Amino acid sequence: MATWVGCKERAYVHKIDEAMKTTVTNTLYELLMWAMPDKLLEESIFDYIKRLDKNSSANYHRANASLQKFNKEQRETLLNDHTLREADITLLFKLFKLFAHDVAAFDNYKWTCGGAHLESLITSIKNMRNDIAHGSCTINYTVFNSMANKLRVLLTEALKAAKEKYGRSDVELQNKTKEMEVGLYEVFQQVLGKEELLSYCHQDIKNILITEANNDLQTVSVFINPLHFLLESDVKVFVQQLFTKMLFRKKDQKGRDIILDSSQIVNVFKHDTDRPQLLLTEGEGGSGKSTLLTMITHEWLEGGHGQMKGLDKYHLILRVQCRDRHLDSLDDLLRNALPIVYCKNRNLMLPIMKGCNILFLIDGQDEANPHSWKVVQDILNTFKDASSSTILLTSRPEAIPNFRSTIPTEYQVTDIKLLGIDIKDRKNFVTNYIILFQDLPGKTVDLNKLQQTIESICGRDHFNVPLNLVFLAWQCIHDPYSVSETESQTQLYFWAYKLIVQKLKERLLNKKPELAIMDKMELTRRVKECMEALCQCMLHAVINKHVVFIEHELRHVITTCDRTGIPLNLNSSRTPPSKK
């Protein structure tokens, strides 16, 4: 496909397309009326068929049953418009082949030879229409001129051929030819800029943008790495394999709490409003916010007819990861998420998108940095007057109050709180994780022995959090004998901490073999010292209600790593100090 180089190049396509819809269609209609002189103006084509002589020179009675049929859309047009004035080029071409008098049979070479026969000329016009409808979105001036001249010649020659075949007068031919040329001239002389394109071809551009944006979005990842905090390897799991419905709480119109599950989260929005929608989704760390948005993305890509109700009404879906730093504007987001569409529609995208049903998924607003914060604010401010837009934003509770003060007043805001996994679904959640990861090298799990213990443990309050269930599954895989029916959250986190230390030592020795010269207990002490520094900074961050390390916190971790000789980055060239 051609690359977008400006409104002018797109305007050339729409000029040809508009000529097809107006002047070309009108001319073909006149040719059909010349070729069907016995059809009454207000007579439906189906009534005409009933009285069409079986010995007529028209092809209808000689065509097989499949060729005689009209599709649903064509039938509706023919039933509602007896004059045939509303027929498009495709339908006019079919009518011509079926009902025009004295034309060649369906399989005759005259329809496809490309010569001066009326049949061939009409076929060429129809094919040209198909080329412009399904071809490039942009053409240059040279191609436009060639197509415009070719269209003018085809119509002129078709009028001449029909005049001879159906005995029309020279005066009538001259009038119809002049009418056709004036119509083409008026369309081709229009100069279409951005505003003209939006008013003149808005729906066509919108349909193309939605179709091509959907193609771009098919590459969006719907995989998750549920154990990124424990493993160095990048484990990628299809979100549908592990996703379990989550519960959430919202207020009804009378302010009463109601509990729903995640399949209903999109339908929380009031789609009958004339204001854009913003759903503030609050959830603690590890409550499944990111996984939920990944599942919504997957369900939409599958057509919006899965367990997430209401997704089928959205034309487009765009996701923002607030922890990312590589985007700092809405323009950047569109260029990265929809590269092909952006290339072709750069200065038309936002006006068109604001008329689409679009869903923005903003993940982890509490983790926003100066770059992603600007993206979020761009979205809020740009779409505040787009009533068909919807924003689903997730955040930890502590960041919600400050963010709320930045929301434009145009938005209708709905608050919900993620409550985690329903108690009846927790055992299956853990089992799914165990089944998925038990084949790791050296890991075997006897699920039968663990089933009762898991079921008993999962009923505890802290296991409503998906992250805690993941820890439990990982404990069952790595250390099944340590899983007990008295498992507390403290015990669980202490076990996870020990595993993290163990994994960190394994990674260090794998990436930095020179550390093997160090005594194992000394290496463990140094790793724990670094981990303690990290935990201190994390606690300080939690107390101060922020999730991104500030400068002095990060400096404390770096200083500790330097002092202990543990590389901050495993690709670092730092080596441990000599052992004394």
Side-chain angles (χ1 to χ4, degrees):
M1 285 205 169
T3 300
W4 169 268
V5 289
C7 284
K8 185 187 297 183
E9 285 68 19
R10 166 147 284 183
Y12 291 146
V13 175
H14 287 290
K15 286 181 181 184
I16 298 291
D17 185 56
E18 183 64 16
M20 290 288 181
K21 292 176 179 177
T22 55
T23 303
V24 177
T25 299
N26 291 338
T27 303
L28 288 181
Y29 173 80
E30 296 296 340
L31 293 178
L32 181 63
M33 294 300 100
W34 286 1
M36 297 174 61
D38 52 340
K39 182 191 176 299
L40 303 177
L41 185 63
E42 295 300 329
E43 178 183 33
S44 80
I45 197 68
F46 302 107
D47 290 334
Y48 176 71
I49 290 171
K50 292 177 183 177
R51 66 178 185 83
L52 182 64
D53 193 321
K54 292 190 180 296
N55 297 317
S56 167
S57 61
N59 283 324
Y60 182 80
H61 290 305
R62 296 193 296 274
N64 62 46
S66 63
L67 295 174
Q68 292 176 342
K69 291 180 179 179
F70 298 97
N71 63 36
K72 181 180 179 181
E73 184 178 351
Q74 291 172 339
R75 284 186 64 82
E76 289 180 358
T77 299
L78 295 173
L79 287 169
N80 295 327
D81 173 36
H82 295 176
T83 68
L84 307 182
R85 271 290 182 187
E86 299 300 317
D88 61 13
I89 291 176
T90 300
L91 181 52
L92 288 171
F93 178 74
K94 185 177 182 69
L95 293 170
F96 202 94
K97 293 192 76 172
L98 285 171
F99 301 111
H101 289 279
D102 300 316
V103 294
F106 268 58
D107 57 354
N108 190 283
Y109 77 97
K110 289 183 179 180
W111 291 101
T112 56
C113 67
H117 303 287
L118 177 60
E119 295 89 342
S120 180
L121 292 165
I122 292 176
T123 301
S124 296
I125 293 169
K126 189 265 295 184
N127 289 342
M128 192 173 176
R129 176 264 172 198
N130 291 346
D131 290 343
I132 200 68
H134 305 298
S136 172
C137 293
T138 59
I139 56 176
N140 61 32
Y141 180 71
T142 302
V143 175
F144 166 71
N145 259 343
S146 174
M147 294 179 73
N149 288 330
K150 180 180 178 181
L151 192 55
R152 185 180 291 107
V153 170
L154 286 172
L155 292 172
T156 300
E157 294 303 313
L159 285 165
K160 289 180 181 177
K163 180 259 183 189
E164 295 298 328
K165 184 180 286 289
Y166 299 113
R168 314 304 291 197
S169 69
D170 290 340
V171 172
E172 191 170 9
L173 173 63
Q174 291 172 2
N175 288 339
K176 294 299 179 185
T177 302
K178 183 178 180 180
E179 186 179 317
M180 176 270 294
E181 289 180 340
V182 169
L184 290 181
Y185 178 83
E186 288 179 349
V187 172
F188 292 157
Q189 288 305 304
Q190 294 180 41
V191 178
L192 302 182
K194 175 181 176 180
E195 298 304 321
E196 291 81 3
L197 276 172
L198 290 173
S199 61
Y200 193 59
C201 310
H202 185 281
Q203 190 59 45
D204 290 340
I205 300 173
K206 177 179 175 180
N207 291 340
I208 292 170
L209 186 147
I210 290 172
T211 299
E212 295 190 343
N214 275 264
N215 292 335
D216 273 346
L217 291 170
Q218 293 304 312
T219 62
V220 173
S221 174
V222 287
F223 290 85
I224 58 174
N225 180 7
L227 303 171
H228 62 277
F229 48 84
L230 291 175
L231 288 177
E232 179 188 18
S233 58
D234 191 18
V235 177
K236 296 291 186 182
V237 183
F238 185 36
V239 66
Q240 197 176 34
Q241 289 181 267
L242 292 178
F243 183 78
T244 301
K245 283 184 180 179
M246 291 181 277
L247 300 178
F248 68 90
R249 181 178 66 225
K250 70 176 291 287
K251 301 284 186 183
D252 65 11
Q253 293 181 342
K254 295 182 179 180
R256 297 171 300 193
D257 286 343
I258 56 175
I259 307 299
L260 301 168
D261 69 56
S262 51
S263 67
Q264 301 161 292
I265 195 165
V266 176
N267 279 340
V268 165
F269 295 114
K270 298 176 181 177
H271 292 283
D272 57 347
T273 182
D274 58 357
R275 299 167 62 188
Q277 303 292 298
L278 173 59
L279 180 63
L280 285 181
T281 309
E282 172 188 320
E284 301 289 346
S287 61
K289 302 184 294 293
S290 296
T291 302
L292 174 63
L293 297 195
T294 304
M295 186 62 180
I296 291 174
T297 304
H298 160 69
E299 293 264 292
W300 180 82
L301 290 172
E302 290 295 303
H305 300 290
Q307 61 174 282
M308 300 285 187
K309 308 303 180 186
L311 283 172
D312 56 318
K313 60 173 59 73
Y314 290 105
H315 298 126
L316 297 172
I317 187 169
L318 290 173
R319 184 171 178 181
V320 177
Q321 292 276 9
C322 287
R323 69 175 68 95
D324 289 349
R325 293 179 174 272
H326 67 285
L327 304 176
D328 62 5
S329 67
L330 175 58
D331 191 66
D332 271 356
L333 172 66
L334 297 179
R335 182 169 56 247
N336 279 267
L338 306 170
I340 297 176
V341 177
Y342 182 89
C343 185
K344 294 178 181 177
N345 304 275
R346 187 176 307 133
N347 57 347
L348 297 178
M349 282 193 75
L350 288 180
I352 295 296
M353 287 175 64
K354 288 168 77 170
C356 296
N357 293 333
I358 182 168
L359 174 62
F360 288 97
L361 302 176
I362 300 179
D363 188 12
Q365 186 277 325
D366 54 295
E367 298 180 87
N369 53 65
H371 303 279
S372 59
W373 175 256
K374 189 171 184 302
V375 177
V376 173
Q377 292 302 306
D378 273 1
I379 292 172
L380 288 172
N381 290 317
T382 300
F383 288 87
K384 65 184 180 182
D385 60 345
S387 61
S388 57
S389 67
T390 298
I391 299 173
L392 196 166
L393 180 144
T394 69
S395 175
R396 297 188 189 188
E398 55 269 20
I400 292 288
N402 287 339
F403 175 74
R404 194 185 298 277
S405 65
T406 70
I407 302 172
T409 57
E410 288 84 352
Y411 284 92
Q412 180 167 315
V413 180
T414 304
D415 293 275
I416 71 168
K417 179 178 177 60
L418 291 181
L419 303 176
I421 307 296
D422 193 351
I423 190 170
K424 65 179 172 49
D425 295 320
R426 295 175 193 172
K427 178 182 174 183
N428 286 339
F429 181 102
V430 174
T431 302
N432 286 340
Y433 270 78
I434 292 173
I435 291 172
L436 189 64
F437 293 108
Q438 67 177 342
D439 293 332
L440 291 173
K443 306 300 177 187
T444 56
V445 180
D446 188 342
L447 267 175
N448 292 327
K449 291 183 177 180
L450 286 171
Q451 289 286 358
Q452 185 174 352
T453 302
I454 292 172
E455 187 167 6
S456 175
I457 290 175
C458 284
R460 297 181 180 277
D461 289 343
H462 61 276
F463 281 116
N464 68 319
V465 179
L467 180 61
N468 288 348
L469 292 172
V470 174
F471 277 135
L472 179 59
W474 202 231
Q475 185 178 6
C476 290
I477 294 168
H478 272 269
D479 192 7
Y481 296 105
S482 70
V483 180
S484 68
E485 295 187 14
T486 59
E487 190 77 50
S488 66
Q489 183 163 290
T490 301
Q491 288 173 310
L492 183 70
Y493 286 179
F494 184 68
W495 177 87
Y497 172 81
K498 290 195 298 182
L499 180 62
I500 290 170
V501 171
Q502 175 189 327
K503 289 291 180 183
L504 180 54
K505 285 164 57 180
E506 291 173 1
R507 290 171 62 191
L508 283 167
L509 292 172
N510 181 49
K511 292 286 187 177
K512 300 290 181 180
E514 60 270 25
L515 292 175
I517 64 173
M518 190 182 300
D519 179 76
K520 289 183 179 181
M521 292 183 64
E522 175 64 14
L523 178 59
T524 300
R525 185 193 67 77
R526 295 187 183 194
V527 169
K528 285 185 175 181
E529 188 174 341
C530 292
M531 286 294 297
E532 286 172 5
L534 184 61
C535 289
Q536 287 171 6
C537 291
M538 291 167 64
L539 179 60
H540 186 271
V542 170
I543 292 172
N544 289 279
K545 297 184 179 180
H546 57 82
V547 296
V548 178
F549 284 156
I550 57 178
E551 180 62 29
H552 80 269
E553 293 168 344
L554 185 59
R555 176 54 52 191
H556 178 52
V557 175
I558 294 173
T559 301
T560 305
C561 288
D562 282 339
R563 186 179 67 256
T564 59
I566 300 299
L568 185 68
N569 184 326
L570 285 180
N571 294 319
S572 169
S573 59
R574 290 193 183 108
T575 56
S578 301
K579 183 180 178 183
K580 297 182 180 179

